[in-house]
């Protein structure tokens, strides 16, 4: 509701029941006689808007404090909690039907996380304003300040890092417990201090920073504060080992220590365990590591399902390195399709063969990566693959230019960035940050993978990340800067012959929250498509269906636009039913793929009756056992999570998070794994105070709102990623970020000549970077993935759990920042020697 109508909320509520009645005008005039004319018009327009029929599905799973369950109204399945159900029924009674007003009333319920978070934010702003208005005694310094010209505030481009998989996992619960202790270093050398938290096997102590500690140092500790209340019988104290030192401020540090268990004091261990368990509600369990883990996992789960990169997992079987596993996401399935032949064989064992992998491993680069140039050739119904890596083309200089010119003319031309990282199968299992002692359910989820999954991961050695970085606009440059210097027939050496037998690769789909309100089923049948009242405009087939929606594949490309109302016919389906008319079914187009071949539809039923919905609902009920769900269950439960964990630990690209709060868009969080990342290393050199890195190259000139916000605003969650390209000239030994990073987005170059001039200047004495950033719209956070840990936090600190949820809900988009510098230099005709010189400069910076 518009802000200016808040004062008339009672009138609007009273008139909701009349808005769809014939005597509405009469009742309206009697209610608003004392309201100004201008406001009367606005109130009437608002009521008309609220009274419009609505066809949107309500899905509150993860959005509210309650537990939503399925709720059917006139054939539509909503997911509502008890509060929402009551509001829904009350509004239906008022309006007489499901309307926009009913939809908005449910979304604005008091227990909605978004509403609660907004109120908390408003309360903070009010308190901040109150504090700022509090008068204070003026000083001469204040008077001087008034006379000074106001300084232009410095824009801070700071951001913090989310360290993927770097969350503390505790074997036991730790209690916030402050007691007096005494630390003994040697006879006569003691220090009195105070504990911060305590567990059976560890302790954190606050000490003066003047006292120096080192990791591995052994210290005897006397729990003097506890011994005043209990007879512990610890005459010689308890030996601890220092495992970490955290700075609090100039005066104090925290020392983290673990028990060495050199003493045999089982009675004390039992006492301490019982004491913590009995008092954890009183003193509160220390939640720091769990809060950090939930935040990191939440951000990981936004990024990983949306990457365009395909992770391929390499195992050592006998003496061979073979690709045996892959992890599919919504956005990387096109790569799987590209490397699939006419018989649906995945050809990765040829594309990622032993010589190529060994060539990458032998590279003296700090990061093992290369470029893969590919095209296919179809002959007699068979698909043949041709590919070459950077190293292979460099080793055949007489064919390098010919390959790039000839291959880039092909429709099937693709360029992939390859990144190879060593991994260990043992990293596939990451238990919850909550210890087993917290409950049996936690114990169950902390169990190691099944023997079947462990068998599939056995002798896992590497992940090869394959990121598609080509687009049709680049072809012209390849053909301009690379010439045919040899006969095309000589390129046959880069062809891959057909194999008699292909290894069976397991392709797992990454598990994440299902944002659909109902199950979809795979089914292919003929379909005709037209606009209402017109002749047939397109033909195609269904890919999957539910009672409320369809996905269609169009033969010649979609002649419609998103939002169109179309009518479809299902001739093959019509032959099996006389009860339903399936010739002119109205659907609304909710999404169209970028290549115009796939449409997502939902039922359009302004009159509440839709033969297509009724037909598919009956079809599902009667044939559920025979239908194939669109999301197949894995043959190996737990494998997807294991592959996800390995991928998260070794992410090579740079995830960025786009936050939106109200109308403000910001980027202040960036993901990082344990792998070396040159751009993050350089950005950390200019980090502002209280931040991990500077994001000046990405965000200068208000790029968050000028570049990223419009992209995200124009996307749906299911859309394929949009891209922007960023070009950077990095100058070493500069004292400010603005002098170090000369940077422009691609659309700031008015011509290709301007871009090539920038590249030439960048490579002359400095370091050139080019990044493609893949932007995806996020849906709601995957609360299912973190639900157990979040529930554990909520048991002890409900407000901290809600605050954490609020942070995750603010994420509106996620970016995947991929370094394409080498590909850009190759595209614009730079020689092998020039590119090598750039690479050497880069790795000097990293080291």
């Amino acid at each position: 509701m518009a802000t200016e109508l808040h004062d008339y909320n009672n009138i609007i509520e009273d008139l909701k029941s009349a808005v769809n009645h014939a005597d509405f005008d009469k009742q309206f005039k009697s209610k608003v006689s004392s309201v100004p004319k201008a406001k009367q018009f606005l109130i009437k327009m608002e009521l008309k808007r609220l009274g419009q029929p609505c066809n949107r599905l309500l899905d509150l799973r993860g959005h509210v404090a309650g537990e939503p369950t399925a709720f059917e109204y006139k054939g539509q399945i909503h997911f509502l909690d008890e509060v929402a159900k009551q509001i829904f029924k009350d509004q239906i009674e008022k309006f007489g039907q499901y309307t926009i007003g009913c939809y908005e009333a449910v979304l604005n319920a008091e227990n909605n996380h978004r509403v609660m978070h907004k109120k908390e934010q408003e309360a903070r702003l009010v308190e901040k304003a109150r504090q700022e208005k509090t008068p204070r005694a003026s000083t001469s310094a204040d008077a001087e300040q008034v006379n000074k010209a106001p300084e232009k505030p410095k824009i801070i481009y700071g951001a913090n890092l989310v360290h993927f998989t770097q969350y503390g996992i505790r074997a036991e619960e730790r209690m916030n417990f402050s007691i007096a202790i005494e630390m003994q270093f040697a006879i006569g050398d003691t220090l009195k201090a105070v504990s911060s938290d305590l567990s059976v096997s560890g302790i954190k102590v606050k000490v003066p920073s003047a006292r120096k500690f080192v990791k591995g140092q052994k210290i005897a500790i006397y729990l003097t504060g506890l011994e005043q209340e209990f007879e512990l019988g610890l005459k010689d104290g308890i030996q601890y080992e220092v495992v970490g030192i955290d700075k609090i401020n100039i005066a104090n540090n925290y020392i983290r220590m673990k028990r060495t268990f050199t003493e045999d004091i089982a009675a004390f261990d039992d006492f301490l365990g019982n004491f913590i368990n009995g008092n954890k509600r009183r003193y509160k369990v220390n939640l720091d590591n769990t809060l950090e883990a939930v935040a990191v996992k939440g951000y990981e789960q936004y990024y990983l399902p949306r990457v365009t990169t395909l992770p391929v997992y390499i195992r050592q079987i006998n003496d061979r390195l073979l690709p045996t596993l892959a992890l599919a996401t919504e956005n990387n399935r096109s790569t799987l399709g590209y490397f699939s032949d006419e018989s649906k064989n995945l050809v990765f064992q040829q594309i990622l063969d032993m010589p190529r992998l060994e060539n990458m491993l032998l590279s003296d680069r700090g990061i093992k990566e290369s470029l893969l140039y590919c095209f296919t050739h179809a002959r007699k119904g068979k698909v043949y693959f041709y590919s070459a890596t950077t190293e292979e083309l460099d080793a055949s200089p007489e064919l390098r230019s010919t390959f790039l010119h000839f291959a880039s003319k092909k429709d099937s031309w693709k360029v992939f960035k390859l990144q190879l990282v060593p991994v260990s199968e043992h990293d596939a299992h990451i238990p919850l940050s909550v210890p087993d002692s917290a409950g049996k359910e936690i114990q169950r989820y902390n169990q190691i993978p099944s023997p079947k999954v462990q068998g599939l991961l056995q002798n896992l050695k590497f992940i090869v990340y394959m990121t598609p970085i080509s687009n049709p606009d680049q072809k012209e440059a390849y053909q301009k800067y690379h010439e045919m210097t040899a006969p095309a027939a000589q390129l046959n050496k880069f062809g891959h012959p057909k194999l008699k037998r292909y290894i069976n690769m397991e392709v797992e789909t990454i598990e994440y929250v299902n944002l659909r309100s109902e199950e979809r089923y795979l089914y292919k049948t003929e379909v005709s498509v037209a606009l209402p009242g017109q002749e047939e405009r397109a033909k195609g087939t269904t890919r999957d269906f539910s009672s409320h929606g369809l996905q269609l594949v169009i033969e010649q490309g979609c002649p419609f636009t998103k939002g169109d109302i179309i009518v479809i016919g299902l001739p093959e389906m019509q032959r099996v039913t006389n009860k339903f008319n399936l010739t002119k079914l109205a659907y609304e187009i909710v999404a169209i793929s970028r290549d115009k071949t796939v449409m997502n539809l939902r039922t359009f039923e302004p009159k509440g009756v839709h033969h297509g919905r009724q037909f598919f609902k009956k079809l599902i009920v009667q044939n559920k056992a025979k239908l194939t769900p669109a999301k197949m269950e894995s043959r190996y439960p737990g494998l997807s999570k294991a592959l996800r964990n390995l991928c998260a630990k070794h992410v090579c690209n740079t995830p960025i998070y786009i936050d939106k709060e109200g109308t403000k868009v910001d980027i202040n969080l960036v993901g990082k794994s344990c792998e070396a990342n040159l751009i993050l290393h350089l950005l950390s050199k200019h980090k502002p105070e209280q931040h991990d890195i500077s994001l000046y190259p990405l965000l200068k000139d208000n790029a968050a709102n000028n570049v990223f916000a419009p992209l995200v605003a124009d996307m749906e969650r299911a859309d394929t990623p949009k891209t922007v390209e960023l070009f950077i000239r990095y100058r070493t030994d500069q004292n400010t970020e603005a002098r170090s990073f000369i940077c422009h987005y691609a659309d700031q170059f008015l011509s290709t000549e301007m871009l090539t001039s920038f590249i030439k200047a960048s490579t002359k004495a400095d370091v050139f970077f080019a990044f493609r950033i893949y932007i995806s719209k996020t849906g709601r956070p995957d609360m299912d993935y973190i639900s157990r840990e979040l529930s554990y936090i909520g048991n002890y600190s409900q407000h901290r759990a809600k605050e954490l949820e609020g942070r995750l809900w603010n994420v509106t988009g996620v970016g995947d920042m991929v370094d394409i510098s080498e590909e850009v230099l190759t595209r614009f005709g730079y020689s092998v020697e020039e590119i090598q010189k750039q690479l050497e400069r880069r790795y000097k910076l990293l080291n």
Side-chain angles (χ1 to χ4, degrees):
M1 184 185 299
T3 307
E4 63 266 26
L5 296 182
H6 279 171
D7 293 340
Y8 306 100
N9 188 46
N10 291 337
I11 293 176
I12 290 171
E13 283 298 319
D14 289 345
L15 286 169
K16 281 181 177 180
S17 57
V19 68
N20 290 319
H21 285 228
D23 63 346
F24 169 65
D25 287 338
K26 181 180 178 182
Q27 291 193 47
F28 179 80
K29 287 177 182 177
S30 67
K31 285 282 186 183
V32 300
S33 56
S34 60
V35 177
K37 289 285 185 183
K39 296 295 183 186
Q40 286 185 24
F41 174 77
L42 292 175
I43 293 170
K44 193 170 189 177
M45 291 302 99
E46 176 67 4
L47 282 163
K48 290 288 188 182
R49 185 186 73 83
L50 295 174
Q52 288 178 3
C54 181
N55 200 35
R56 300 179 191 174
L57 293 174
L58 284 157
D59 186 355
L60 301 185
R61 290 176 290 185
H63 289 261
V64 293
E67 290 294 329
T69 55
F71 176 81
E72 184 171 354
Y73 176 76
K74 289 192 174 180
Q76 284 188 315
I77 306 295
H78 305 278
F79 284 86
L80 310 177
D81 68 335
E82 293 307 315
V83 173
K85 287 176 186 176
Q86 191 57 52
I87 294 173
F88 189 98
K89 292 172 183 176
D90 291 345
Q91 294 295 313
I92 292 294
E93 189 175 345
K94 284 185 177 182
F95 286 110
Q97 59 180 319
Y98 180 34
T99 68
I100 295 291
C102 176
Y103 175 83
E104 292 181 356
V106 171
L107 288 186
N108 291 321
E110 292 292 320
N111 70 335
N112 189 293
H113 295 322
R114 173 182 54 80
V115 175
M116 291 189 289
H117 180 67
K118 185 177 179 182
K119 286 186 175 180
E120 287 174 8
Q121 294 293 103
E122 289 172 351
R124 289 196 193 105
L125 290 173
V126 170
E127 177 60 21
K128 184 179 179 182
R130 186 189 65 78
Q131 291 175 357
E132 289 174 350
K133 287 181 180 179
T134 303
R136 62 184 179 89
S138 62
T139 64
S140 57
D142 293 332
E144 288 180 20
Q145 191 65 31
V146 170
N147 293 326
K148 284 184 180 178
E151 293 184 8
K152 189 176 180 180
K154 182 182 178 183
I155 300 174
I156 303 297
Y157 295 102
N160 289 319
L161 294 174
V162 179
H163 294 271
F164 283 12
T165 72
Q166 301 300 300
Y167 19 82
I169 298 168
R170 286 182 178 159
E172 59 193 6
E173 291 182 292
R174 179 170 291 191
M175 182 174 69
N176 288 319
F177 192 49
S178 179
I179 56 167
I181 67 162
E182 187 172 289
M183 309 174 77
Q184 185 179 64
F185 306 95
I187 297 174
D189 184 9
T190 61
L191 173 69
K192 291 185 177 180
V194 176
S195 71
S196 171
D197 59 47
L198 181 69
S199 70
V200 173
S201 59
I203 191 170
K204 186 162 74 172
V205 179
K206 185 179 181 181
V207 299
S209 55
R211 181 80 199 211
K212 300 304 178 186
F213 293 81
V214 294
K215 286 185 181 180
Q217 182 179 356
K218 305 288 196 305
I219 303 168
I221 290 183
Y222 296 85
L223 304 175
T224 53
L226 206 56
E227 287 179 327
Q228 289 174 4
E229 298 183 40
F230 304 96
E231 183 61 45
L232 302 180
L234 302 173
K235 295 179 182 180
D236 299 321
I238 309 168
Q239 190 181 74
Y240 285 81
E241 178 185 338
V242 177
V243 295
I245 303 162
D246 301 324
K247 184 177 180 180
I248 304 174
N249 49 43
I250 296 175
N252 297 292
N253 291 333
Y254 278 133
I255 306 299
R256 289 179 281 113
M257 292 175 281
K258 67 178 182 179
R259 292 264 303 276
T260 61
F261 289 99
T262 54
E263 313 89 355
D264 184 11
I265 45 175
F268 170 72
D269 296 344
D270 291 340
F271 161 79
L272 196 53
N274 292 331
F275 179 79
I276 291 172
N277 193 52
N279 289 276
K280 61 185 181 182
R281 292 281 179 183
R282 179 183 173 192
Y283 293 108
K284 301 285 185 180
V285 169
N286 185 296
L287 300 170
D288 292 348
N289 71 306
T290 307
L291 284 162
E292 182 182 1
V294 170
V296 173
K297 288 181 179 181
Y299 288 116
E300 288 174 358
Q301 204 66 358
Y302 265 134
Y303 170 74
L304 294 170
R306 292 171 174 82
V307 294
T308 309
T309 300
L310 176 71
V312 179
Y313 298 78
I314 311 294
R315 288 173 61 200
Q316 183 174 336
I317 300 176
N318 298 324
D319 293 327
R320 298 176 66 194
L321 292 174
L322 292 171
T324 59
L325 298 159
L327 185 61
T329 72
E330 287 180 327
N331 295 332
N332 70 17
R333 285 193 175 276
S334 60
T335 299
L336 286 165
Y338 181 81
F339 289 110
S340 177
D341 70 8
E342 71 286 346
S343 301
K344 305 303 180 185
N345 295 309
L346 291 172
V347 298
F348 289 108
Q349 69 191 91
Q350 295 163 284
I351 300 298
L352 301 175
D353 61 9
M354 278 280 284
R356 279 186 178 166
L357 296 175
E358 288 174 344
N359 216 350
M360 291 180 71
L361 288 169
L362 292 171
S363 167
D364 57 0
R365 299 184 183 187
I367 301 170
K368 310 299 183 186
E369 59 187 30
S370 184
L371 295 176
L372 179 73
Y373 302 93
C374 312
F375 66 94
T376 61
H377 176 65
R379 182 161 50 90
K380 295 182 179 180
K382 295 185 181 295
V383 179
Y384 295 88
F385 291 83
Y386 294 78
S387 69
T389 63
T390 301
E391 293 75 20
E392 289 162 359
L393 291 180
D394 293 350
S396 301
E398 74 284 359
L399 295 178
R400 181 175 183 267
S401 187
T402 299
F403 184 97
L404 295 173
H405 181 96
F406 178 84
S408 62
K409 282 188 170 183
K410 293 281 190 177
D411 290 338
S412 57
W413 162 254
K414 295 275 186 185
V415 184
F416 292 88
K417 178 165 185 171
L418 303 182
Q419 295 159 297
L420 184 148
V421 295
V423 297
S424 168
E425 61 194 86
H426 304 296
D427 291 333
H429 174 56
I430 302 178
L432 300 179
S433 59
V434 180
D436 286 352
S437 58
K440 290 184 178 180
E441 186 184 18
I442 299 298
Q443 289 178 26
R444 184 162 59 86
Y445 279 95
N446 280 343
Q447 288 178 355
I448 61 174
S450 68
K452 278 188 177 180
V453 171
Q454 291 183 57
L456 290 168
L457 299 175
Q458 190 175 13
N459 296 321
L460 191 63
K461 298 298 181 184
F462 304 100
I463 298 177
V464 175
Y465 293 109
M466 305 183 71
T467 308
I469 58 173
S470 54
N471 64 53
D473 298 337
Q474 300 167 352
K475 288 187 170 188
E476 186 179 337
Y478 276 102
Q479 290 154 32
K480 177 180 179 181
Y481 291 99
H482 300 277
E483 298 177 348
M484 291 287 291
T485 58
Q490 293 187 23
L491 300 181
N492 286 333
K493 66 177 290 186
F494 299 108
H496 300 286
K498 292 288 182 182
L499 300 180
K500 290 182 179 179
R501 182 175 175 272
Y502 289 85
I503 61 171
N504 181 36
M505 277 189 68
E506 288 292 336
V507 178
E508 279 291 299
T509 300
I510 193 167
E511 294 177 355
Y512 67 107
V513 65
N514 178 18
L515 297 177
R516 296 181 181 271
S517 59
E518 57 186 4
E519 184 69 83
R520 294 173 300 137
Y521 298 92
L522 299 174
Y523 196 81
K524 186 175 180 180
T525 186
E526 183 183 330
V527 61
S528 63
V529 190
L531 289 171
Q534 295 186 13
E535 296 296 320
E536 179 184 295
R537 294 276 299 280
K539 282 189 174 183
T541 56
T542 60
R543 177 180 285 177
D544 59 52
F545 69 85
S546 67
S547 60
H548 287 88
L550 288 170
Q551 187 176 75
L552 306 185
V553 180
I554 304 300
E555 290 177 358
Q556 300 296 328
C558 177
F560 311 106
T561 58
K562 180 182 171 183
D564 281 352
I565 307 300
I566 59 173
V567 291
I568 69 168
L570 299 168
E572 293 178 351
M573 293 288 198
Q574 187 67 81
R575 294 188 194 110
V576 300
T577 180
N578 295 319
K579 186 175 180 181
F580 303 102
N581 184 352
L582 306 181
T583 57
K584 293 183 179 180
L585 302 172
Y587 281 86
E588 179 184 356
I589 301 175
V590 294
I592 300 175
S593 66
R594 186 168 292 182
D595 60 4
K596 302 288 187 182
T597 60
V598 180
M599 292 194 304
N600 288 357
L601 313 178
R602 68 180 170 207
T603 55
F604 181 71
E605 39 192 323
K607 297 179 181 178
V609 177
H610 194 283
H611 280 209
R613 173 175 57 78
Q614 294 173 334
F615 169 75
F616 283 118
K617 184 177 181 180
K618 185 175 181 180
L619 183 70
I620 292 167
V621 170
Q622 294 181 347
N623 299 277
K624 198 161 189 177
K626 302 175 186 176
L627 293 170
T628 304
K631 181 182 181 300
M632 297 290 289
E633 292 298 322
S634 171
R635 291 194 297 162
Y636 305 101
L639 180 58
S640 173
K641 186 177 180 182
L643 298 181
R644 172 234 182 264
N645 290 340
L646 287 163
C647 182
K649 184 161 187 176
H650 299 281
V651 165
C652 290
N653 299 325
T654 307
I656 61 174
Y657 296 92
I658 304 166
D659 276 7
K660 185 173 183 181
E661 194 164 340
T663 58
K664 184 185 176 187
V665 171
D666 198 7
I667 298 175
N668 52 33
L669 274 181
V670 173
K672 184 187 186 308
S673 76
C674 64
E675 297 300 324
N677 187 310
L678 177 55
I679 191 63
L680 292 182
H681 173 67
L682 298 178
L683 293 173
S684 68
K685 290 177 177 290
H686 298 282
K687 62 181 179 182
E689 194 175 343
Q690 307 297 322
H691 294 87
D692 296 325
I693 58 171
S694 167
L695 281 185
Y696 171 81
L698 273 80
L699 301 183
K700 80 179 186 77
D701 302 328
N702 195 23
N705 286 288
N706 294 336
V707 177
F708 294 98
L711 285 176
V712 174
D714 195 35
M715 295 178 74
E716 298 292 338
R717 192 209 66 82
D719 288 351
T720 54
K722 294 185 177 180
T723 61
V724 293
E725 290 188 355
L726 175 65
F727 299 92
I728 299 173
R729 175 183 179 182
Y730 180 74
R731 304 193 295 179
T732 58
D733 302 323
Q734 301 295 318
N735 55 9
T736 67
E737 56 192 8
R739 292 185 62 81
S740 296
F741 297 97
I742 311 300
C743 40
H744 303 284
Y745 282 98
D747 60 2
Q748 293 175 301
F749 295 103
L750 301 180
S751 65
T752 304
E753 288 71 27
M754 288 181 66
L755 172 59
T756 54
S757 176
F758 178 83
I759 297 171
K760 185 176 181 181
S762 302
T763 54
K764 191 172 184 180
D766 301 317
V767 183
F768 170 71
F769 289 97
F771 292 96
R772 181 170 297 137
I773 307 173
Y774 295 82
I775 307 295
S776 297
K777 179 77 173 255
T778 58
R780 63 183 176 90
D782 190 351
M783 307 312 291
D784 295 352
Y785 187 73
I786 55 177
S787 60
R788 289 156 198 90
E789 287 154 304
L790 201 60
S791 175
Y792 178 76
I793 294 170
N795 287 337
Y796 299 101
S797 181
Q798 190 70 32
H799 76 281
R800 296 180 82 178
K802 294 299 179 188
E803 184 180 335
L804 182 53
E805 279 193 67
R807 282 167 55 195
L808 294 174
W809 275 102
N810 281 347
V811 178
T812 187
V814 63
D816 193 16
M817 189 168 161
V818 182
D819 189 330
I820 61 168
S821 311
E822 188 177 353
E823 185 276 326
V824 172
L825 293 175
T826 304
R827 186 197 318 167
F828 287 110
Y830 281 74
S831 68
V832 173
E833 293 73 24
E834 289 171 314
I835 294 172
Q836 192 60 37
K837 189 179 292 185
Q838 273 294 301
L839 294 175
E840 287 171 3
R841 288 178 190 170
R842 290 163 67 98
Y843 292 111
K844 279 182 182 177
L845 290 174
L846 184 62
N847 296 326

